[in-house]
């Protein structure tokens, strides 16, 4: 009964905790470029998110009146992608150049953005090779997990791991769109490089680890790990050489998560070499 209550609380937190996604605009533009539009399209395609609030910003070039108008145009541009039902209870805020006091001109590019605040509307399915991992992640102790901050290496150093101690964590630079198990396009090259490494070294076994940012979401971390697992299996790597697990947000590489960039770094998959 105790475990059931803990699990219910955990799932409730995952369902209703608010996350943020930022979309960036070019200078003096109120229309997303193709790269940012693709990010938004992938996000909305999943149809499992409830957008609760939109906040629009600009940089400090131009007059305040002009920037308020530009921020409103950016907000309306994002709204044009949403369904009428999604707009009914939507909170909207036009901040223009009213940026947090920590901001400096050196990072003005990040001012040109619209923030979407959202929650996940439904529980993502759990798919994992290893049974009873929901209980494992709730009871897990951080000190029992591999430390990755100091031992992370780039994809260019795969070969060095053959001489390293087992249990060393390896960054794959495989990242995901917020709240989803959809890979960023930049991750594909890194996955292929890792497959080439495994294909050339058949004695190497790995544990694939999925991670999320911001809050506990075990289900999503498992799904992200499974994306890499499925890719390697499809390419011909023997499943006996692979295992995968989700670690929710228990092993951040960027902490505390102060910026969107910090959060994006934690939406990732890494691996541990097993010998």
């Amino acid at each position: 009964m105790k475990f059931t209550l803990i699990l219910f609380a955990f799932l409730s937190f995952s369902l209703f905790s608010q996350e943020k996604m930022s979309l960036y605009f070019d200078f003096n533009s109120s229309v997303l470029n193709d790269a940012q539009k693709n990010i938004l399209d992938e996000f909305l395609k999943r149809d499992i998110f409830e957008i609760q609030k939109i906040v629009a910003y600009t940089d400090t070039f131009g007059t305040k009146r002009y920037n308020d108008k530009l921020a409103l145009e950016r907000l309306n541009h994002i709204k044009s992608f949403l369904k009428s039902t999604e707009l009914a209870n939507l909170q909207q805020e036009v901040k223009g150049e009213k940026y947090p006091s920590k901001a400096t001109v050196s990072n003005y590019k990040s001012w040109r953005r619209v923030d979407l605040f959202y929650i996940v509307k439904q529980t993502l399915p759990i798919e994992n090779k290893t049974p009873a991992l929901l209980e494992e992640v709730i009871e897990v102790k951080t000190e029992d997990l591999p430390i990755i901050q100091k031992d992370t290496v780039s994809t260019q150093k795969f070969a060095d791991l053959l001489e390293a101690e087992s249990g060393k964590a390896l960054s794959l630079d495989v990242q995901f769109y917020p709240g989803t198990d959809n890979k960023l396009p930049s991750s594909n090259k890194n996955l292929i490089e890792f497959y080439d490494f495994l294909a050339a070294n058949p004695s190497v076994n790995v544990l694939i680890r999925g991670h999320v940012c911001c809050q506990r979401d075990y289900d999503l971390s498992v799904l992200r790990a499974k994306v890499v697992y499925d890719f390697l299996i499809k390419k011909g790597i023997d499943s006996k050489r692979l295992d995968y697990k989700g670690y929710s947000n228990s092993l951040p590489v960027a902490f505390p998560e102060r910026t969107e960039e910090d959060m994006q770094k934690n939406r990732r998959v890494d691996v541990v070499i097993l010998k």
Side-chain angles (χ1 to χ4, degrees):
M1 176 64 70
K2 182 179 178 181
F3 172 72
T4 302
L5 292 175
I6 294 174
L7 178 59
F8 175 77
F10 164 68
L11 291 177
S12 297
F13 185 73
S14 295
L15 282 172
F16 298 108
S17 295
Q18 194 175 66
E19 290 197 49
K20 182 184 77 171
M21 172 176 148
S22 296
L23 296 161
Y24 297 93
F25 291 77
D26 295 331
F27 176 70
N28 201 33
S29 174
S30 60
V31 177
L32 292 175
N33 60 35
D34 289 343
Q36 292 294 305
K37 184 177 180 297
N38 287 339
I39 291 175
L40 180 59
D41 287 342
E42 286 290 338
F43 176 80
L44 297 176
K45 187 189 302 181
R46 293 296 300 275
D47 196 30
I48 61 172
F49 307 108
E50 179 183 321
I51 299 175
Q52 299 182 315
K53 184 177 180 179
I54 301 181
V55 183
Y57 296 91
T58 68
D59 57 34
T60 55
F61 292 93
T63 65
K64 181 181 181 301
R65 180 178 180 181
Y66 178 84
N67 287 332
D68 286 345
K69 178 175 178 291
L70 180 60
L72 178 61
E73 290 173 352
R74 286 174 176 171
L75 185 144
N76 288 332
H77 177 63
I78 299 300
K79 285 171 54 181
S80 70
F81 291 89
L82 305 181
K83 302 173 184 175
S84 58
T85 53
E86 296 173 315
L87 298 174
N89 299 313
L90 187 67
Q91 300 178 48
Q92 305 170 46
E93 190 170 356
V94 177
K95 288 200 171 183
E97 60 186 51
K98 294 178 183 177
Y99 206 75
S101 58
K102 292 182 180 179
T104 63
V105 175
S106 63
N107 65 1
Y108 61 82
K109 290 182 179 180
S110 66
W111 301 20
R112 304 167 187 154
R113 74 176 202 272
V114 168
D115 291 338
L116 301 181
F117 294 87
Y118 65 92
I119 60 173
V120 180
K121 292 190 295 187
Q122 64 188 59
T123 305
L124 295 172
I126 299 172
E127 299 178 41
N128 201 292
K129 290 174 60 181
T130 311
L133 279 182
L134 266 178
E135 185 170 2
E136 177 184 343
V137 78
I138 291 174
E139 300 296 334
V140 72
K141 296 180 180 179
T142 303
E143 56 267 29
D144 295 335
L145 299 173
I147 302 298
I148 63 176
Q149 283 86 342
K150 294 182 180 180
D151 290 336
T152 298
V153 296
S154 75
T155 54
Q156 306 305 316
K157 298 181 179 178
F158 286 141
D160 295 342
L161 294 178
L162 295 176
E163 305 301 325
E165 295 181 3
S166 62
K168 188 172 184 178
L170 168 69
S171 171
L172 291 184
D173 281 336
V174 174
Q175 297 181 350
F176 296 80
Y177 289 110
T180 78
D181 59 345
N182 292 328
K183 301 188 297 344
L184 295 182
S186 58
S187 299
N188 294 330
K189 178 177 180 291
N190 303 321
L191 272 179
I192 293 172
E193 288 180 354
F194 186 58
Y195 159 74
D196 289 340
F197 165 76
L198 291 179
N201 297 278
S203 64
V204 174
N205 299 338
V206 296
L207 168 64
I208 302 165
R209 310 190 309 179
H211 309 274
V212 300
C213 79
C214 314
Q215 65 201 32
R216 298 188 72 153
D217 194 336
Y218 170 74
D219 295 358
L220 182 56
S221 70
V222 171
L223 290 174
R224 286 175 174 172
K226 190 173 185 297
V227 166
V228 174
Y229 173 84
D230 288 343
F231 171 84
L232 295 172
I233 294 295
K234 187 175 181 179
K235 293 285 286 183
I237 301 299
D238 190 340
S239 62
K240 294 179 181 178
R241 300 173 55 194
L242 308 173
D243 196 4
Y244 67 91
K245 291 184 181 181
Y247 287 90
S248 189
N249 63 337
S250 63
L251 291 174
V253 291
F255 185 82
E257 295 169 333
R258 292 193 177 96
T259 66
E260 174 63 23
E261 182 180 2
D262 292 337
M263 291 184 278
Q264 186 58 59
K265 288 178 180 177
N266 292 329
R267 301 177 184 120
R268 73 192 197 284
V269 165
D270 59 19
V271 297
V272 173
I273 302 296
L274 306 174
K275 291 186 178 178

